[in-house]
Amino acid sequence: MRRSALILGIGAALLLGGCVTTGTGQQAVSAGCDTSFRLVNVSGVTVREVYFSHSSRNGWGPDQLGDRVLPSGQTMNFRAANVGSYDFRVVLANGRASELRQVNICRASTISIASNGLRAT
């Protein structure tokens, strides 16, 4: 009986090993999830600000571009700190803002900025 419980415990640990939860309730990056993504600007307008944060957080945090901008036709690479769902916000040079929420960062590798909003693929 003890041996069966031990085997079941090891099996469960192996199955759940890719999902490690941090103290904030977010899941830490695991070997089975690539949290890197490309931000592609096909909007025809320069992107002035980029924000992304885990969906469980309140607020956007700092502008990820800092002193840079993302011209139309250009791509920039980022990496999210944790697995799970992320929210995205961009502000264009013309002042228009777009948001996209609840993007599974393990499944989406590209966030496209178009004239009609944001799209994850």
Side-chain angles (χ1 to χ4, degrees):
M1 185 69 175
R2 270 188 153 168
R3 188 175 206 169
S4 296
L6 178 61
I7 291 170
L8 283 174
I10 291 171
L14 289 172
L15 285 173
L16 297 174
C19 298
V20 179
T21 303
T22 66
T24 63
Q26 296 180 22
Q27 293 180 336
V29 175
S30 68
C33 173
D34 181 5
T35 61
S36 61
F37 63 92
R38 291 182 313 173
L39 192 62
V40 180
N41 183 2
V42 293
S43 70
V45 180
T46 296
V47 174
R48 189 175 66 205
E49 300 169 30
V50 172
Y51 303 92
F52 61 91
S53 65
H54 199 273
S55 296
S56 66
R57 294 192 180 263
N58 292 328
W60 290 108
D63 172 14
Q64 298 297 313
L65 291 179
D67 293 334
R68 302 171 295 170
V69 295
L70 181 59
S72 183
Q74 298 293 310
T75 299
M76 206 172 273
N77 296 311
F78 294 92
R79 181 177 298 279
N82 298 291
V83 300
S85 294
Y86 273 75
D87 299 335
F88 294 85
R89 175 180 170 83
V90 298
V91 179
L92 303 176
N94 62 11
R96 199 176 110 238
S98 293
E99 295 180 7
L100 180 63
R101 298 188 179 268
Q102 297 290 321
V103 175
N104 183 331
I105 202 66
C106 293
R107 293 191 180 142
S109 60
T110 302
I111 305 297
S112 299
I113 306 160
S115 58
N116 60 349
L118 302 176
R119 184 175 65 132
T121 54

